[in-house]
Amino acid sequence: MADDNEDIILADLSDDELVLQMHDDLYDGLKEEIEDGVHILLGRDWTPYDVLTKALVAGMTIVGADFRDGILFVPEVLLAANAMKGGMFILKPLLAETGAPRMGKMVIGTVKGDIHDIGKNLVGMMMEGAGFEVRDLGINNSVEKYLAAIEEEQPDILGMSALLTTTMPYMKVVIDTLKEKGMRDDYIVMVGGAPLNEEFSKAIGADAYCRDAAVAVETAKSFMLRKHNAMNA
Ligand code: B1M
């Protein structure tokens, strides 16, 4: 996209122009520009959530479409992902700063064989913002790693992310292992990732499929409410 960025002063742009420029900068993998753009929008009283969704996630959607269509390749997408992470790093503490009471605890990780972590990170950030304590296991998690973490943390929720059709079946391996060990009913299992859907989630025995981070937060909250009501009944 634009390669004459040196001439553009981000702070001089209107909100709409700046958001479009940030989409371009994300596409071009310009981390510093993305970080500057995030600071400028926050300085203009944008909420962290709006900056995240309108400037960063929307920009990454364009990157995703062009990656799918063979216009962008892995190195460019990696740069875009790195720029996105720069922006997310600034927003993370702000999203978590809501002062919400502790809602519950979640262990989340991307499944074995899969290194996509942007969506999973977003879910973790939004959950923290909603008052959940989150232990993020990162990427490429084997069933043993999930088990070790849930035994250590005793979370309310286990979250799994997969972005590849080849890795999403691994979620069933984890759930089946929980069943074999008689631990399945101790945890709420929520799954997400672009190739998943409701039907897949049901077929593998998860409790919920979450289309995006906002749905993950709402779903987690409603499960926790039910859990508390059941405990108090
Ligand atoms: Co990858 N990649 N990639 N990639 N990559 C996809 C997923 C792909 C759809 C692109 C395409 O072809 N259109 C395609 C998968 C095709 C398929 O399986 N059907 C693909 C491929 C093929 C590959 C490689 C195999 C490419 C190659 O090497 N030839 C390779 C695989 C490596 C591996 O994992 N073993 C690969 C590598 C990479 C990069 C490293 C370059 C980079 C990842 C960088 C990183 O994550 N640190 C990358 C990226 C960035 C993408 C796309 C472009 C963007 C993903 C993303 O970050 N989206 C992606 C195309 C796409 O999805 N449109 C693609 C933004 C993010 C906010 O959305 O992750 O969907 P998403 O998360 C959402 C929801 O899904 C949900 O909430 C999130 C926030 O709203 N959600 C959850 C996600 N996890 C959740 C967990 C929950 C709840 C909700 O738990 C409760």
Side-chain angles (χ1 to χ4, degrees), residues 44-57:
R44 291 180 188 174
D45 288 335
W46 275 50
T47 63
Y49 182 74
D50 275 352
V51 179
L52 179 68
T53 51
K54 294 181 183 163
L56 301 185
V57 175

Side-chain angles (χ1 to χ4, degrees), residues 102-120:
R102 279 273 157 257
M103 297 287 298
K105 198 188 238 190
M106 176 191 228
V107 162
I108 189 168
T110 302
V111 297
K112 189 174 172 184
D114 201 320
I115 63 167
H116 295 87
D117 67 354
I118 296 175
K120 183 258 306 158

Side-chain angles (χ1 to χ4, degrees), residues 5-230:
N5 267 9
E6 309 87 61
D7 304 333
I8 298 169
I9 297 168
L10 295 179
D12 288 349
L13 301 178
S14 70
D15 285 11
D16 287 349
E17 288 167 340
L18 178 55
V19 166
L20 290 178
Q21 183 60 43
M22 286 174 74
H23 294 172
D24 272 6
D25 289 345
L26 198 67
Y27 194 96
D28 294 333
L30 302 176
K31 188 177 176 199
E32 275 179 35
E33 282 76 357
I34 288 298
E35 290 166 346
D36 288 349
V38 167
H39 283 304
I40 293 168
L41 288 174
L42 290 172
R44 291 180 188 174
D45 288 335
W46 275 50
T47 63
Y49 182 74
D50 275 352
V51 179
L52 179 68
T53 51
K54 294 181 183 163
L56 301 185
V57 175
M60 203 62 199
T61 306
I62 302 169
V63 172
D66 280 4
F67 186 36
R68 178 197 60 218
D69 297 341
I71 298 164
L72 286 181
F73 296 96
V74 171
E76 289 123 328
V77 178
L78 267 179
L79 281 176
N82 189 42
M84 169 117 183
K85 282 185 180 177
M88 280 164 59
F89 184 74
I90 299 166
L91 295 174
K92 184 175 176 175
L94 303 175
L95 286 164
E97 223 174 51
T98 55
R102 279 273 157 257
M103 297 287 298
K105 198 188 238 190
M106 176 191 228
V107 162
I108 189 168
T110 302
V111 297
K112 189 174 172 184
D114 201 320
I115 63 167
H116 295 87
D117 67 354
I118 296 175
K120 183 258 306 158
N121 293 348
L122 261 178
V123 173
M125 280 166 52
M126 299 273 296
M127 291 288 292
E128 280 179 354
F132 284 84
E133 191 180 336
V134 177
R135 162 100 182 264
D136 186 342
L137 304 179
I139 54 173
N140 193 24
N141 284 289
S142 63
V143 64
E144 292 79 14
K145 282 197 194 157
Y146 282 114
L147 284 179
I150 60 178
E151 275 175 25
E152 197 179 314
E153 302 288 347
Q154 290 301 316
D156 304 287
I157 301 168
L158 170 64
M160 289 189 279
S161 179
L163 264 286
L164 299 171
T165 44
T166 48
T167 56
M168 55 194 249
Y170 196 77
M171 292 173 163
K172 185 170 185 314
V173 175
V174 178
I175 292 174
D176 286 349
T177 309
L178 288 176
K179 282 184 191 159
E180 279 161 25
K181 292 188 175 292
M183 298 159 67
R184 171 65 187 90
D185 293 339
D186 299 344
Y187 308 100
I188 298 156
V189 179
M190 294 176 18
V191 294
L196 276 66
N197 57 34
E198 196 76 50
E199 205 184 344
F200 173 78
S201 154
K202 284 207 176 90
I204 62 169
D207 291 304
Y209 158 68
C210 309
R211 187 181 65 243
D212 58 32
V215 170
V217 168
E218 287 317 310
T219 309
K221 279 185 183 169
S222 82
F223 272 115
M224 290 310 297
L225 195 66
R226 271 187 260 167
K227 189 172 171 175
H228 286 138
N229 287 344

